Amino acid sequence: MEPNINNKDHEKREDEEEDQYGVLLYYKYTQIPDLDELFTFYHSNCYSLSLLGRVRISPLGVNVTVGGKLSALKKHIAEVESNSLFHGTDFKLAACGRPLNDKVAEECGFTSLSIRIVKELVTLSSNPLLKSPEFSDAGKHLSADEFHSMLQRAGQLDKESTERDRDLVLLDARNLYETRIGKFHTPDVETLDPGIRQYSDLPSWIDDNSDQLQGKNVLMYCTGGIRCEMASAYIRSKGAGYENVFQLFGGIQRYLEQFPDGGFFRGKNFVFDHRISVGSSDANILGTCLLCGVSFDDYSSRLRCSYCRMLVLVCDSCQRKGSVYVCELCKNHHKGVELVSSSENGRLSSMPQQIERETVSSDAKPSSQLPWRQAVGSPPRKLRILCLHGFRQNASSFKGRTASLAKKLKNIAELVFVDAPHELPFIYQPSVVTESHKNCTSLPSSLLQQSPPPPPSEHCRKKFAWFVAPDFRGKSESESDNLDREWKMGDGPFDPLQYQQQTAGFEESLAYIKTVYAQEGPFDGLLGFSQGAAMAAALVCAQQTRRRLLQTGEMEYGFVILCSGFGLTKLMEVEEEKIQMLKCPSLHIFGSDHGKDRQIANQASRKLASLFDEGCSVTIEHDSGHIIPTRPPYIDQVKDFLGPFL
């Protein structure tokens, strides 16, 4: 009997499928009752099936990206589906080739199997003190067909489309390196591209641009859907006007499967596995080379920004061995920084103008890496903290006053000190005889006849301030450079409440700190003492309210430390309305009710602390004076606050 040729062909195809490689992506938000049990399952199952990739398990669900033979991936799906926790999970399985090379495989995590128990599946905020929104509050899921239909009706803008259909805004929840090569485009529908470096930057962008979302029907999308879960819940948590948030179920990947020609999506979908990107039948290229601007969207070379390590697009013609590259975000942050070949000097050019500063660190040379990225093999990074001194101080004196703090934080932080922009006149007060003493018959006549003491004869360093009195007249350049500066006698006794009247000069100080950031930044956080704390608080307020037109990413920092701080009412109000809670992570250090701080009242520091969201603020009250205490337990509390930002 002759063999059945059709059966042989079928068996051959099955054998080929057995050997064909594939990638599987899925996530599921659900309460996990036993993390260890689920970890054991994934460890046993994935190793037995020879799967490689990443498995992340949290108390609220799983996020999985694994690769292997298609037959093994199908067996894995069947095992997972048998667990009632995963009913309704969207398994995205795709056949594909194996990784192009070892470098791509290693970067995408496909050279080994990594299974971890984590706190969050995706980190919505870099602020470790802020709670994530409830995933149950996520936006309504729309299928690819429903998503497409809403865009189609909104784009037509005819009589048949309702007002609801027309009042749409598209929000891309992905990072800049992803949106470079592909995004949705619909005529007459606004698409918001936050242009962020990492997902944890998205909440800040939402806060700064909430007016573009309020009262709108927000359609969100991302690669596979998981990032939209938390991001949509975050938007909805803002309350009235933010209820109508929708998300593309299954993400761009499911949309392109439903619309192979691309539909309203242009370019390619960046993916976090060795495939790098997935396109449609539309061959148009959306990305461009960072250097020459030619159409280009191939990330297979895995070139990265030499500053922040974000992926960059550099075409084959522009690639040079040993070159360093600066992404668009770092170019905006470091104005004037250009691409330099390492064959010339191996370094990035710096800005010509320099800010006078003093740095405290145990490192001999500052790192060229941005503080939020660390080079492979480099020593543990330190937090860079910009320190703002108090009234009538300077960088040098504040450095001296905080020497103990710098020493005890030397393993985790680098303190950078700068002078404030407003130079103050030298003032002295007679301390021997006052007008009231002249009528005192008990004082010797020789003492009554003495003149006020002369000012110190030795050279004194300049003193500066962040805020000055409204009638303050700054020094001219010639006066400022004069070494024999004129001393002035005070017109009255020292007023301990003078800081309340020093409300002018913020615009100049803001512009100055922007320059500091451009030349010396970035910084992980700010530390302000007394008036410097008031300045730091005003910066937080300005960023949250956008009152001072601070651009997103212009002055990034993760936290503030406010020591003996106070708030200036004039600067902490916006259009005569009290500000909402400030959501920046904050550490407040000030004297207790029975402390010895005679400069800034406990009530003033406590009132400033009350303006910050208690969910992300920490308060340390001490029994010392107008200082930053560094003895235990205070220094331990400072280290505990800084720990999550390392």
Side-chain angles (χ1 to χ4, degrees), residues 143 161 205 210 224 275-276 344 390 509 530 563 568 594 615 629 638 645:
S143 67
S161 61
W205 184 91
S210 57
R275 294 174 296 170
I276 302 174
E344 298 174 359
S509 292
S530 195
C563 309
L568 296 174
H594 303 291
V638 173
F645 298 97

Side-chain angles (χ1 to χ4, degrees), residues 12 39 98 185-186 210 236 254 257 277 282 299 310 358 404 438-439 447 454 468 478 501 514 537 574 602 617-618:
K12 182 180 180 181
F39 180 94
R98 293 181 180 273
H185 174 73
T186 307
S210 57
R236 285 170 53 85
R254 283 294 187 224
E257 291 175 2
S277 63
D282 181 5
Y299 277 118
M310 183 170 70
E358 302 211 19
S404 176
K438 290 183 179 180
N439 297 324
L447 185 58
V468 292
S478 60
Q501 283 76 48
K514 286 182 181 179
V574 180
N602 166 274
S617 66
V618 177

Side-chain angles (χ1 to χ4, degrees), residues 401-473:
R401 294 190 64 171
T402 56
S404 176
L405 178 69
K407 182 178 180 180
K408 294 183 178 182
L409 297 180
K410 66 179 182 180
N411 293 327
I412 63 173
E414 173 193 11
L415 306 185
V416 179
F417 300 84
V418 293
D419 293 322
H422 301 287
E423 184 181 350
L424 301 174
F426 286 93
I427 296 178
Y428 72 97
Q429 293 182 335
S431 57
V432 178
V433 181
T434 64
E435 289 297 325
S436 60
H437 288 147
K438 290 183 179 180
N439 297 324
C440 181
T441 57
S442 62
L443 289 175
S445 59
S446 59
L447 185 58
L448 290 171
Q449 295 174 358
Q450 285 186 10
S451 301
S457 58
E458 68 272 12
H459 174 67
C460 294
R461 301 197 64 167
K462 300 176 182 179
K463 309 294 183 182
F464 302 92
W466 301 101
F467 303 111
V468 292
D471 58 352
F472 174 78
R473 184 183 68 85

Side-chain angles (χ1 to χ4, degrees), residues 95-170:
C96 62
R98 293 181 180 273
L100 295 175
N101 53 60
D102 292 340
K103 182 179 180 181
V104 172
E106 183 176 357
E107 283 208 11
C108 296
F110 274 68
T111 57
S112 62
L113 178 64
S114 171
I115 306 175
R116 294 181 187 174
I117 295 178
V118 296
K119 182 179 179 181
E120 296 178 303
L121 295 183
V122 290
T123 304
L124 178 63
S125 174
S126 57
N127 176 356
L129 302 178
L130 279 181
K131 291 183 178 180
S132 296
E134 296 292 335
F135 70 87
S136 58
D137 292 334
K140 180 182 178 181
H141 287 181
L142 296 179
S143 67
D145 279 331
E146 292 171 327
F147 192 86
H148 184 85
S149 296
M150 288 189 72
L151 292 179
Q152 194 169 42
R153 291 196 302 268
Q156 291 172 349
L157 288 177
D158 55 22
K159 294 182 180 179
E160 296 180 1
S161 61
T162 65
E163 183 64 29
R164 174 177 176 176
D165 292 330
R166 293 194 294 267
D167 198 18
L168 291 179
V169 61
L170 266 172

